[in-house]
Amino acid sequence: MAGMKTVSVGELRQNPTAMIDDLEQGEPYTLTRHSRPVGTIIPVASSTTIIAPKRGGPADTSSIARHELRTAGSVDELLEDEKGEW
């Protein structure tokens, strides 16, 4: 990332507010220790991402094929058989 700002571990300890403000504006940073890059601090994609609401109403199960029980007389009996002895 060309033109990325740099912050040393010491600078970050003394005044993290300036870097956090830049991160909130989308500015990434290179973190250095003894003038050597040790990592990259990047902002999250966006805290204002809009997530579409879930569709309301009952579930539409009309397209699911009916399953006939062949090994048990009821769903409860089938589940009881599947549980087995504990």
Side-chain angles (χ1 to χ4, degrees), residues 11-31:
E11 291 169 329
L12 184 56
R13 273 194 198 131
Q14 290 175 355
N15 185 15
T17 305
M19 187 201 67
I20 292 170
D21 289 343
D22 286 345
L23 284 169
E24 287 179 331
Q25 300 302 314
E27 183 73 38
Y29 272 80
T30 297
L31 179 64

Side-chain angles (χ1 to χ4, degrees), residues 1-72:
M1 296 181 177
M4 187 182 306
K5 291 183 178 182
T6 301
V7 64
S8 70
V9 172
E11 291 169 329
L12 184 56
R13 273 194 198 131
Q14 290 175 355
N15 185 15
T17 305
M19 187 201 67
I20 292 170
D21 289 343
D22 286 345
L23 284 169
E24 287 179 331
Q25 300 302 314
E27 183 73 38
Y29 272 80
T30 297
L31 179 64
T32 63
R33 175 183 277 163
H34 306 294
S35 300
R36 288 190 342 257
V38 293
T40 304
I41 303 170
I42 58 171
V44 294
S46 175
S47 61
T48 58
T49 301
I50 297 174
I51 300 172
K54 292 182 179 180
R55 189 174 68 207
D60 180 14
T61 59
S62 62
S63 63
I64 300 173
R66 183 169 171 79
H67 180 77
E68 295 296 328
L69 295 175
R70 295 186 187 129
T71 60

